[in-house]
Amino acid sequence: MIGLRPIFFFVLVVAMAGGAEVKSQTADSQRPRLAERLAAEIAHEMDVRGTRMPPNTPVAFESATSHDQIVELRWVTRDPSLFSVFRNGFNSERVRVTKATRYCTERNMAAMAQGVVIHEILTPSDGSEPLDYRIDMSVCEVLPKLEPADPATLVELARKVASVEEARKARPSGWFRLDQAAAHDGVVEESYTIRDAAAMNAMLADRAHHEGVQKDYFCPTFRTEIFRGVTLHLVYVSPDGRPVYDFAINRSNC
């Protein structure tokens, strides 16, 4: 019986190794399925958000679909001069960083780690040759790693954001207007007046969509400032000045 122990131990080790190999193969086979599911979820979310974009935007949303592990986004550029700007800067580092900033959210990057790729196709309204961008983990890695700012720097960063936002007051907007943007100790307080009751009801009926649209603007535009600690606090009031609702945009939800 004593002589059988080494043989038993050897068989046990081989069995464990075989089990580990089967487990590894199972995990590898499941990874594409997980990527397909994640791609489908991201495409659905982007499609819902895109179909609710305001009409007559310079770049119009067309569709968001998924194919295997690919999320395919299609846009149409109505303005030929704007499309020329995109084409001229197609291979620039600035474009790479802009695309990465827009799509490299924590959720998307977690999906990209499983193999998901975002494929954006931008077509001019005249039907000529489109531009396309592929965003995966390698593209996201071009983004600089940003450390939290010290208190004094954070104050200056918030002032910078508030100054940029104050300049937006003169620009036309849709459902609401920006009344004021002011910085207080690393927080940028922005006050908005909703233009009419219909706009207010639409915003309240789908807050998640409205907040998503705002994050789509603020997170790429002020990525450096937000990831170094700046918080934007957006406050909305009715046409007669009554509070409607508010929410914050910071590093945790960009």
Side-chain angles (χ1 to χ4, degrees):
M1 293 296 292
I2 294 175
L4 293 176
R5 288 180 181 176
I7 297 175
F8 173 76
F9 180 74
F10 174 76
V11 172
L12 179 61
V13 170
V14 170
M16 291 176 64
E21 182 178 356
V22 170
K23 185 177 181 180
S24 175
Q25 291 175 350
T26 301
D28 289 343
S29 66
Q30 289 177 346
R31 180 168 173 165
R33 294 181 182 178
L34 174 60
E36 290 175 13
R37 179 173 61 80
L38 293 172
E41 291 175 357
I42 292 172
H44 174 71
E45 180 180 314
M46 290 182 171
D47 189 63
V48 170
R49 185 177 298 176
T51 54
R52 296 173 180 174
M53 288 181 63
N56 302 319
T57 55
V59 181
F61 175 79
E62 190 174 83
S63 66
T65 57
S66 66
H67 312 282
D68 298 325
Q69 299 169 217
I70 308 296
V71 178
E72 184 175 282
L73 299 171
R74 291 186 173 272
W75 302 82
V76 176
T77 310
R78 295 191 175 102
D79 185 349
S81 62
L82 180 60
F83 187 79
S84 296
V85 172
F86 290 138
R87 186 178 294 283
N88 293 337
F90 179 69
N91 292 315
S92 71
E93 183 66 14
R94 181 179 179 184
V95 170
R96 282 174 55 83
V97 171
T98 299
K99 294 297 178 184
T101 300
R102 179 175 184 179
Y103 292 113
C104 295
T105 63
E106 289 189 10
R107 178 188 178 188
N108 288 351
M109 288 178 66
M112 290 176 193
Q114 300 298 323
V116 171
V117 175
I118 296 176
H119 184 201
E120 182 187 80
I121 301 170
L122 185 64
T123 304
S125 55
D126 61 8
S128 57
E129 184 179 357
L131 298 174
D132 66 284
Y133 307 87
R134 288 184 178 270
I135 300 94
D136 56 17
M137 283 297 288
S138 67
V139 175
C140 295
E141 288 170 357
V142 306
L143 294 174
K145 303 298 187 289
L146 300 171
E147 298 297 328
D150 60 75
T153 303
L154 186 60
V155 168
E156 290 305 314
L157 290 173
R159 287 176 180 170
K160 173 186 172 184
V161 172
S163 176
V164 172
E165 286 296 280
E166 272 286 297
R168 285 207 303 146
K169 291 198 301 185
R171 302 176 192 173
S173 58
W175 286 354
F176 48 83
R177 71 168 187 267
L178 173 61
D179 296 321
Q180 183 181 29
H184 306 287
D185 298 327
V187 177
V188 178
E189 297 278 353
E190 299 203 1
S191 302
Y192 295 87
T193 296
I194 304 173
R195 292 191 178 278
D196 53 45
M200 182 171 66
N201 292 337
M203 290 169 63
L204 290 175
D206 196 348
R207 284 185 50 172
H209 168 68
H210 172 70
E211 292 175 15
V213 170
Q214 301 314 304
K215 290 173 187 176
D216 282 348
Y217 164 73
F218 285 105
C219 293
T221 305
F222 301 111
R223 179 183 186 274
T224 297
E225 293 79 9
I226 290 173
F227 274 73
R228 297 201 68 192
V230 170
T231 293
L232 290 115
H233 183 213
L234 312 185
V235 179
Y236 296 86
V237 300
S238 65
D240 59 4
R242 290 179 292 108
V244 176
Y245 83 95
D246 66 288
F247 70 98
I249 299 174
N250 53 40
R251 180 171 185 151
S252 68
N253 58 19
C254 263

